[in-house]
Amino acid sequence: DFGYLMLLVYFLSMSGVTIYALLQFHLLYLYKRYHKENPGIQYKQYGADEQDVPFVTVQLPMYNEMYVAERIIDYVAAQEYPKDKFEIQVLDDSTDETVGIVAAKVAEYKAKGFNIEHIHRVNRQGYKAGALQEAMPKVKGDYVAIFDADFTPRPNFLRTTIAYFEDPKVGIVQTRWEHINADHSMLTKLQALQLNVHFTVEQAGRSYGNLLLQFNGTAGVWRKSVINEAGGWQSDTLTEDLDLSFRAQIMGYKIQYLEKLGSPAELPEDMNALKGQQFRWNKGGAQNVRKLLKLVWNTDKLSGVQKMHAISQLLAYGVFLWVFIAAVSSIPLAFAFQQLGISTHFLSFSVLGLFSVAAISYTANITAALNRTAPPTFWEKVRFFGLFISFMPISLGLSLYNAVAVIEGLRGKVSAFVRTPKYGSANGQDESKTKAGYKDKKVSWVTIAEGFMAVVFAAAAIIGLATDNTAFLLFHSMLSFGFATICYYSVKHLRLR
């Protein structure tokens, strides 16, 4: 019977989402337990003028970053670290005026006595992973720090992170992303809400629970020997950072996560840039499922709990696919409950997942806020719940686009590494700032499909209300609003270009 089939599909997909959410809740437990037992984290670091420090190579991979290329070089040069103890490699794959901008900035700092090199490639082979790997023979330091072009690292970044490599088991040190332009718009506020979860409860919870973390591709430092020992940067996935960091940890090295050392960066300010970033992360994650799942499952170097969370972390990129499948199957299911003779209370189990997501988001964005010395105010709580209520339908609206990414990744479809455009923005900057130098795009078939899904779920909600089949009324209303919002801003932000 078709009704039973849809019930099974919905149940399986929502069970996957719920199980993932409950494993996230376990990370929340680990996070809270650690902070209760270790209040007031203090990081060790080298002195600002200390000369007996290791030599470090700082790599700045970039591609057509005309708006932020100079800024990242300035911030790295301002490190409180002896000038003769670090080198800067600008790994420039650009094809636009970024090349000239970088060349001039590199010449400026060479004249000031900095050890800085402009490495310009013309083929972009392997994309970011290819640039990092090709530069390895030129690396002079025993440690390699990596920053994407939109970051603005704090002056004490090197002297804090490098101090942790005194432990020979530490192969990677990762810092927490902060957001320069979090208050630029509702879109950036919602991104910050979600990313704060990853960089507190997820990353720190895994660290405190001795679970596998991931290097986030930037704002971190590698032991050079570990990069080589683990097989180097490989370009067969779009998330080479996740790939190499898992391989290194399976070999026995650990990631030291510094939750309280923030590394500020820009968030995408238009919908299409955000979708491109999400597509790369989700497709790359799915590619790593193909590449790493068997390796994680078969290794004898991980405990059962470590394996469970590592597999959950890899499969997490499928959450959007599960959500989209649940959404589509819910339409016929909404009108089949009476015929099947099943109570709609059967759906109540999914509330566990929603409760878990809300609790984790609250902790990450309210109780875990940096430098908090007093309990959150009433208005801070109101602001959070307002953002969270907006976050849920927007996340649902991204489910189709990200589901396509996951399917492509699982199928092994090859595609280019599309960088996320950044504009050197800060809070309060005019959104109409010129964006010359980035090509216009046409409305994709996925954007058209998102508009269609908005209409379909709106119709499902209206018909359900009219026929007293209201089990999915809230779900369908949120889906309709989410898809409509994503579609509208995808088209609007194309025109802003």
Side-chain angles (χ1 to χ4, degrees), residues 53-57 81 84-87 115 140-143:
V53 294
F55 192 86
V56 184
T57 298
Y81 206 77
D84 62 340
K85 291 290 187 176
F86 73 101
E87 65 172 347
N115 190 347
K140 298 175 184 176
D142 290 329
Y143 307 97

Side-chain angles (χ1 to χ4, degrees), residues 5 15 17 23-24 36 80 82 119 135 166 208 225 228 261 277 305 311 317 332 343 370 377 401 414 442 459 486:
L5 176 61
S15 293
V17 174
L23 285 172
Q24 294 288 89
K36 184 177 181 180
E80 297 169 343
I119 303 174
E166 293 176 355
Y208 304 146
S225 61
N228 294 326
L261 178 58
Q277 184 184 70
V305 174
I311 291 171
Y317 294 96
S343 170
L370 294 181
T377 66
Y401 195 82
V414 178
K442 296 179 181 178
I486 298 299

Side-chain angles (χ1 to χ4, degrees), residues 409-421:
L410 292 176
R411 287 178 52 219
K413 182 178 179 181
V414 178
S415 60
F417 184 107
V418 180
R419 66 98 174 88
T420 305

Side-chain angles (χ1 to χ4, degrees), residues 271-282:
M271 183 61 72
N272 298 294
L274 170 61
K275 288 170 77 173
Q277 184 184 70
Q278 290 277 311
F279 192 92
R280 186 176 74 247
W281 288 352
N282 281 278

Side-chain angles (χ1 to χ4, degrees), residues 251-319:
M251 293 179 61
Y253 293 100
K254 71 176 184 178
I255 297 180
Q256 178 69 51
Y257 183 62
L258 305 183
E259 180 193 353
K260 300 299 182 181
L261 178 58
S263 293
E266 278 187 48
L267 295 165
E269 294 180 358
D270 74 71
M271 183 61 72
N272 298 294
L274 170 61
K275 288 170 77 173
Q277 184 184 70
Q278 290 277 311
F279 192 92
R280 186 176 74 247
W281 288 352
N282 281 278
K283 182 170 181 175
Q287 290 170 328
N288 274 303
V289 170
R290 289 166 53 96
K291 183 173 183 178
L292 299 174
L293 194 60
K294 187 176 180 180
L295 180 64
V296 170
W297 181 263
N298 289 336
T299 184
D300 58 0
K301 295 184 178 180
L302 300 177
S303 69
V305 174
Q306 287 176 317
K307 286 186 179 183
M308 179 178 66
H309 271 281
I311 291 171
S312 170
Q313 189 175 354
L314 289 173
L315 295 180
Y317 294 96
V319 167

